[in-house]
Amino acid sequence: MMVAETPAIWTRALEKRYQDVVAVRSLDLEVRQGEVFGLLGPNGAGKTTTILMLLGLTEPTAGEAHVIGLDPARHPLAVKRHVGYLPDNVGFYGSMTGRQNLRYTARLNGLEKAAAESRITDLLTRVGLLDPADSAVETYSRGMRQRLGLADALVKEPSVLILDEPTTSIDPTGVAETLALVRELAHDHGVAVLLSSHLLHQVQQVCDRIAIFVSGEVVAMGTLQDLADQQSAGANVIIEVGADGLPEQVDQTLRAVAGVSGVEADERDPRIRVVTGAPGIREQVARALIDAGQIPWHLRSRGMELGEIYQRYFSGTMVPPSRRARTQPVDEPREKPATGPPASTLTGTRPPPARRPIHKGRIASGTNKESDPRD
């Protein structure tokens, strides 16, 4: 994995308030080049508001943010030249084909025509849209538009990629391909990927580190193992044990170990015993079995799955008292979006004339130079 010393995304005490509503509170975040960083939380937790601040599409109420060393509130267009963005509800010009939409994005970003054509064909292939590439986008399913959105975000070869619910409406095969592409971009090409999602299993599959959002605050951050360790500190541990000998004799040996509070047969494999006990019993269990001549052939600690970790935080059991009054998600106020091309395309031009996007809820801003999408 490629890891740079300077974070690609950095925030300190970043905050966004809408009158009395706190959408994001005191956010400290670092995302490094070459890693996939997951923002995990329910709708309304503050994930999208965080992304909008990082893109310069809404100004923070307090705190600092740097993306590739730039303040997005002061230099939004410079940031967008290096950042690919896939919003959660992507839209395109419906009368144009998928290929034409990507050509338009390439022109907005100043890509040379021959190089752009080669890259567009490669991206369409990688997202599984080469066959329908020359069909009008208005004929695409939502999942196809989401795939096209990922290709659109990658046209300019960004050093930072921000994905807001990237697998929405994509079929299972497409989800696997999308997540594999995300991993490849980060681990093989050094792209810093910030992935926002409420889908726990997908975050667990692809993310190197995770931040759990609850009502505008990050209540936990780290690798999956870090989060599991935080949860299990001082709590009982569970160990799977398989050992030579009669089950009754193995059970007797295990129950005699100091700190063991329970021994049960595994539901899936009756040869395996599930041992519950105090932290640190694994070594004692192994020594006791060996001393009894019951050589262990399977010894594995059961770690917490991300779903269990998330539920503990979101239920309030691991949330500090000062935060527990706000454990229910609130709707995130949105800046009023303008119609136009994907935010990932913006480098200083405005949408083409006489074209309306298939979905109006797109975020766009720009200056005054026009470009005809039909070229």
Side-chain angles (χ1 to χ4, degrees):
M1 182 188 303
M2 301 171 59
V3 178
E5 293 182 3
T6 303
I9 297 173
W10 176 93
T11 73
R12 283 296 178 271
L14 192 66
E15 193 158 302
K16 182 65 177 181
R17 293 175 179 266
Y18 297 90
Q19 298 179 352
D20 295 333
V21 177
V22 180
V24 177
R25 181 188 297 273
S26 193
L27 175 63
D28 292 344
L29 186 67
E30 291 186 8
V31 181
R32 299 183 286 263
Q33 296 291 159
E35 76 168 337
V36 184
F37 191 100
L39 298 182
L40 177 63
N43 295 330
K47 305 185 304 297
T48 297
T49 298
T50 297
I51 288 172
L52 295 182
M53 287 191 285
L54 295 176
L55 291 169
L57 296 173
T58 185
E59 292 191 10
T61 306
E64 299 178 76
H66 290 162
V67 179
I68 57 167
L70 298 169
D71 181 345
R74 295 186 177 186
H75 307 286
L77 294 181
V79 167
K80 289 168 193 164
R81 290 189 186 101
H82 300 277
V83 178
Y85 172 44
L86 175 62
D88 62 343
N89 201 357
V90 67
F92 292 95
Y93 295 101
S95 60
M96 294 165 55
T97 68
R99 192 186 301 274
Q100 287 171 336
N101 271 280
L102 297 188
R103 284 173 178 163
Y104 177 57
T105 296
R107 284 200 301 277
L108 288 180
N109 285 278
L111 272 67
E112 191 272 329
K113 188 173 182 179
E117 285 298 313
S118 174
R119 179 152 182 81
I120 287 168
T121 298
D122 176 62
L123 288 171
L124 288 168
T125 301
R126 294 174 81 179
V127 300
L129 290 178
L130 188 60
D131 288 342
D134 297 309
S135 299
V137 170
E138 62 192 4
T139 66
Y140 285 16
S141 67
R142 187 178 179 191
M144 292 170 68
R145 291 199 300 273
Q146 201 74 6
R147 290 181 185 224
L148 186 62
L150 180 58
D152 183 89
L154 294 172
V155 164
K156 57 185 160 187
E157 297 188 82
S159 57
V160 175
L161 182 62
I162 297 179
L163 308 174
D164 197 353
E165 303 288 356
T167 58
T168 300
S169 300
I170 298 180
D171 61 86
T173 299
V175 167
E177 293 170 352
T178 298
L179 297 181
L181 177 57
V182 168
R183 280 192 297 267
E184 177 191 332
L185 290 166
H187 299 168
D188 296 344
H189 301 283
V191 177
V193 181
L194 182 66
L195 187 153
S196 169
S197 181
H198 67 282
L199 301 175
L200 282 71
H201 64 288
Q202 292 182 15
V203 170
Q204 183 166 339
Q205 285 177 47
V206 75
C207 293
D208 301 303
R209 291 190 298 140
I210 302 161
I212 297 178
F213 263 84
V214 176
S215 298
E217 287 187 76
V218 170
V219 297
M221 186 185 304
T223 65
L224 181 59
Q225 187 60 54
D226 291 338
L227 300 182
D229 289 346
Q230 292 170 27
Q231 288 278 357
S232 60
N236 281 345
V237 298
I238 300 176
I239 302 172
E240 294 178 359
V241 178
D244 294 338
L246 295 174
E248 297 80 6
Q249 295 174 346
V250 171
D251 287 353
Q252 185 177 1
T253 301
L254 293 172
R255 291 193 176 100
V257 175
V260 169
S261 57
V263 178
E264 298 178 353
D266 185 83
E267 294 180 355
R268 295 165 297 181
D269 186 347
R271 300 174 304 161
I272 302 294
R273 310 334 259 176
V274 179
V275 179
T276 303
I281 63 165
R282 175 173 171 150
E283 205 171 302
Q284 299 173 48
V285 163
R287 186 180 301 112
L289 289 169
I290 292 171
D291 290 346
Q294 299 160 346
I295 306 303
W297 45 265
H298 177 81
L299 196 62
R300 186 178 77 89
S301 298
R302 281 189 179 176
M304 286 187 179
E305 293 295 313
L306 183 57
E308 182 180 353
I309 296 170
Y310 173 74
Q311 288 300 330
R312 288 196 180 193
Y313 278 109
F314 188 63
S315 68
T317 58
M318 296 296 295
V319 180
S322 62
R323 299 173 180 170
R324 289 180 187 168
R326 296 180 293 105
T327 54
Q328 292 303 314
V330 296
D331 289 335
E332 291 183 50
R334 302 286 185 104
E335 301 293 306
K336 184 178 180 181
T339 59
S344 60
T345 68
L346 300 173
T347 58
T349 56
R350 73 181 186 188
R355 296 289 183 188
R356 300 184 67 84
I358 195 168
H359 168 66
K360 296 183 180 181
R362 315 199 53 193
I363 301 164
S365 63
T367 55
N368 295 318
K369 185 179 177 183
E370 290 189 356
S371 177
D372 188 343
R374 294 167 293 185
D375 292 343

